[in-house]
Amino acid sequence: MMKRNRGLLALIAVLVVLLVVYFGLQAWNKSKEEEEAAVVHVTDTAAEDIVSIRLDVGNGEMVFEKEEDTWVYLSDPDFPLAQSYPETMADTVGNITADRELSDGDTMEDYGLDEPTYTIEYTDADGNVTDVYFGNMTGENYYVTVGDEGRVYTVASTVLDSLSYTLDDIAQLDTFPSIGSGNLVKEVITRGGETTVYDSEDEEQEEDIASVAGGLGAVSLSEVADYSVENEDLAGFGLDEETRITVEATYTEDDEEKVLTLYIGNEDGSGNRYVMMNDSRIVYLISDEICGNILNESE
């Protein structure tokens, strides 16, 4: 009899726990539904449906357009645009929410919306254009309106954080390989029709290899002079075929031999030289000292 009672009590305890979990989930779901219903959407467009974004949020006007599955910077379609930025922008502009919608009836001028501080425009795949205007600040928020609908919202200023970028921020720069004395096999320098070879297997060139490898290992592709140079502009950088110095560095990576081609051009007058790599159209600035080591000019 005692065993039966214990079993019954255990079943009742399990039932009570299940009921508590059930009603707890019901309450949580209801709370989430109420919370979602309370969200005030200023814009509500899926990021994948947005095909064009025009921004004027403090860094000058920037326009991005989606061509098939690739975003381009409209002012320079050859600009090496890192795709994660316009993708994040599309997600942001299509899903702007407000703290509240105002209903006190003040004029657009009162909110600074007659001459907006910032402007966002985006177009969806059906050709629908949405304009979002940011006016004066109120605390940590902006007064915002959409198109000419006349509704005014307060929107957190953090919305602009994922939109306020410069070209330097959103450029997809080249990746320079890791090269040092341990993996540099050979470097061939061609300038003015003459060729100089530094070979790691030549024991007499040990110091030369250390110097050029040190230069290659110190390269940082961070400062840009031109993001998408045209062929006719190469001469201005000393990077046309007749003028440039060509460096071909053979190195090993994961037990495989690879070749880096580096083009070194003129000095910029500020302690740097213009440099391009492989088939990239980006012109970089690299210090005279590093270029001098790569070329072993201290010899």
Side-chain angles (χ1 to χ4, degrees):
M1 190 70 175
M2 290 287 288
K3 288 183 178 179
R4 287 183 181 177
N5 288 339
R6 287 175 183 171
L8 181 60
L9 289 172
L11 288 173
I12 292 172
V14 170
L15 179 61
V16 169
V17 170
L18 290 174
L19 287 171
V20 169
V21 171
Y22 172 77
F23 287 112
L25 286 173
Q26 288 285 88
W28 184 83
N29 287 333
K30 184 178 180 181
S31 174
K32 289 296 290 181
E33 289 174 0
E34 291 174 349
E35 181 181 323
E36 290 174 1
V39 172
V40 179
H41 285 277
V42 178
T43 62
D44 192 9
T45 306
E48 58 268 25
D49 293 335
I50 296 176
V51 297
S52 175
I53 303 171
R54 183 184 300 271
L55 303 172
D56 188 353
V57 292
N59 293 318
E61 185 176 86
M62 304 177 79
V63 183
F64 305 93
E65 286 194 357
K66 197 172 188 180
E67 297 181 354
E68 295 183 353
D69 293 326
T70 303
W71 284 95
V72 298
Y73 175 55
L74 196 59
S75 295
D76 182 1
D78 293 324
F79 178 85
L81 179 63
Q83 294 297 298
S84 61
Y85 288 95
E87 288 169 357
T88 299
M89 292 174 186
D91 186 57
T92 297
V93 301
N95 186 34
I96 298 174
T97 58
D99 289 343
R100 62 192 179 105
E101 180 181 343
L102 305 182
S103 57
D104 54 16
D106 287 347
T107 66
M108 289 295 173
E109 184 176 359
D110 293 325
Y111 299 117
L113 290 167
D114 57 325
E115 295 182 4
T117 305
Y118 304 123
T119 303
I120 296 169
E121 175 190 291
Y122 69 84
T123 305
D124 67 20
D126 294 325
N128 300 309
V129 179
T130 301
D131 294 298
V132 184
Y133 304 111
F134 290 70
N136 297 334
M137 288 198 75
T138 172
E140 296 298 316
N141 299 331
Y142 280 98
Y143 291 117
V144 170
T145 192
V146 178
D148 58 358
E149 66 179 22
R151 296 179 181 177
V152 178
Y153 309 87
T154 55
V155 172
S157 60
T158 53
V159 167
L160 299 176
D161 291 346
S162 56
L163 303 174
S164 303
Y165 295 108
T166 65
L167 291 181
D168 287 340
D169 296 325
I170 63 177
Q172 181 67 61
L173 303 184
D174 299 299
T175 299
F176 198 85
S178 178
I179 301 177
S181 297
N183 70 334
L184 179 62
V185 178
K186 181 171 62 175
E187 180 182 275
V188 179
I189 302 171
T190 303
R191 68 170 109 191
E194 296 184 0
T195 298
T196 303
V197 179
Y198 298 110
D199 195 324
S200 63
E201 294 186 358
D202 187 340
E203 294 182 359
E204 295 183 0
Q205 292 187 323
E206 185 175 342
E207 290 186 6
D208 297 320
I209 285 291
S211 175
V212 298
L216 291 167
V219 171
S220 173
L221 302 180
S222 57
E223 194 171 355
V224 176
D226 193 315
Y227 287 103
S228 53
V229 65
E230 299 288 344
N231 286 336
E232 58 266 27
D233 296 327
L234 288 173
F237 296 107
L239 289 168
D240 55 308
E241 291 186 13
E242 293 75 20
T243 309
R244 68 193 182 194
I245 303 171
T246 300
V247 176
E248 289 186 349
T250 303
Y251 63 99
T252 57
E253 184 177 272
D254 298 327
D255 297 324
E256 180 184 349
E257 279 198 3
K258 298 184 177 181
V259 177
L260 164 73
T261 301
L262 205 63
Y263 302 110
I264 300 177
N266 297 336
E267 296 182 359
D268 72 340
S270 299
N272 303 297
R273 296 182 76 162
Y274 299 113
V275 174
M276 294 174 68
M277 63 175 286
N278 297 332
D279 57 355
S280 173
R281 304 304 299 177
I282 305 175
V283 178
Y284 297 94
L285 289 168
I286 297 177
S287 75
D288 288 335
E289 180 181 0
I290 291 175
C291 290
N293 287 335
I294 293 173
L295 299 173
N296 202 25
E297 291 180 338
S298 59
E299 64 178 346

